[in-house]
């Protein structure tokens, strides 16, 4: 199984522990560094590749490809989304599975868009501010993460994310046009 946008490898490692041969693909060296630390600590044999999902390469086909946690929403134009689907189709076994999720126009407009979320946890807290442009169907969000260190000290990390909402019809069309 290959996981596109595997991040820090939590799902990849979990599927490996369940007995699957795994390949993790991500575009971030920082995320893959964390995944590799987990790999070495667990002794799991997982291949991690630093590649962009819009042009990833494997050494053969796989029985399944997964992309979770709205990773495909980071692809901001329809032609590039079609490219991702074409690459997936290229590396899937003929009866292989592609399992993915995407945030919807409804979710961006009615749940995330122009809202702020905050959560306090034991070891970390965050503030997540969204801005949604309904004409372009682009959601931008600023994420402030506070990680607890020694005592009551916290370190702040800032991230900016930009995601695109696709209609159901656009997604289906992209799948068909990529020959899946």
């Amino acid at each position: 199984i290959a996981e596109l946008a595997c991040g820090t490898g939590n799902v990849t490692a979990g599927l490996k522990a369940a007995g699957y041969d795994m390949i993790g693909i991500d575009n971030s060296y920082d995320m893959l560094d964390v995944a590799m630390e987990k790999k070495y600590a667990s002794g799991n044999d997982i291949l991690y590749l630093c590649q962009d999902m819009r042009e990833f390469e494997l050494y053969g086909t796989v029985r399944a490809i997964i992309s979770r946690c709205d990773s495909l929403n980071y692809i901001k134009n329809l032609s590039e989304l079609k490219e991702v689907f074409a690459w997936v189709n290229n590396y899937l076994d003929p009866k292989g599975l592609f399992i993915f999720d995407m945030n919807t126009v409804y979710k961006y407009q009615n749940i995330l868009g122009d809202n702020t979320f905050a959560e306090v946890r034991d070891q970390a807290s965050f503030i997540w501010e969204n801005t949604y442009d309904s004409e372009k169907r682009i959601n931008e969000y600023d994420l402030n993460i506070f990680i607890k260190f020694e005592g009551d000290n916290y370190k702040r990390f800032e991230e900016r994310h930009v995601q695109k909402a696709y209609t159901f019809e656009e997604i289906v069309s992209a799948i068909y046009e990529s020959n899946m």
Side-chain angles (χ1 to χ4, degrees):
I1 299 173
E3 181 181 11
L4 296 178
C6 69
T8 60
N10 290 336
V11 170
T12 308
L15 289 170
K16 178 64 180 178
Y20 295 97
D21 290 328
M22 295 301 301
I23 301 168
I25 301 167
D26 203 280
N27 195 11
S28 166
Y29 286 111
D30 292 338
M31 294 283 207
L32 290 174
D33 283 345
V34 174
M36 292 295 286
E37 288 174 19
K38 292 176 187 176
K39 168 187 167 173
Y40 294 130
S42 69
N44 284 333
D45 182 22
I46 299 171
L47 174 63
Y48 285 108
L49 303 171
C50 189
Q51 298 181 352
D52 188 313
M53 73 173 92
R54 291 171 290 188
E55 54 187 13
F56 70 96
E57 293 184 48
L58 298 175
Y59 302 106
T61 60
V62 293
R63 296 184 71 192
I65 296 177
I66 59 174
S67 181
R68 59 178 188 72
C69 291
D70 60 21
S71 297
L72 291 169
N73 291 105
Y74 285 96
I75 305 298
K76 293 183 289 284
N77 82 45
L78 191 56
S79 64
E80 289 182 350
L81 183 64
K82 291 175 190 175
E83 288 176 26
V84 172
F85 290 156
W87 284 111
V88 166
N89 187 48
N90 186 56
Y91 289 111
L92 268 180
D93 285 344
K95 295 193 183 230
L97 294 174
F98 179 37
I99 302 168
F100 67 96
D101 69 343
M102 295 178 77
N103 283 336
T104 62
V105 172
Y106 177 87
K107 183 174 182 181
Y108 288 119
Q109 283 180 333
N110 300 298
I111 299 171
L112 297 179
D114 301 320
N115 285 311
T116 299
F117 303 93
E119 187 173 318
V120 177
R121 297 181 182 175
D122 289 337
Q123 297 301 315
S125 299
F126 66 84
I127 301 170
W128 174 10
E129 300 174 89
N130 292 274
T131 305
Y132 183 66
D133 181 330
S134 58
E135 285 184 29
K136 295 179 182 176
R137 294 184 313 210
I138 295 289
N139 190 68
E140 295 184 21
Y141 64 92
D142 294 313
L143 187 59
N144 288 281
I145 305 166
F146 302 88
I147 307 285
K148 188 173 187 177
F149 288 95
E150 296 177 22
D152 289 331
N153 296 319
Y154 288 81
K155 185 169 183 178
R156 178 180 175 188
F157 298 90
E158 296 179 45
E159 296 179 358
R160 171 164 221 132
H161 295 259
V162 179
Q163 295 183 326
K164 170 82 173 172
Y166 294 97
T167 65
F168 180 76
E169 293 77 17
E170 286 174 324
I171 296 166
V172 170
S173 174
I175 289 169
Y176 280 110
E177 289 180 36
S178 66
N179 296 317
M180 289 190 78

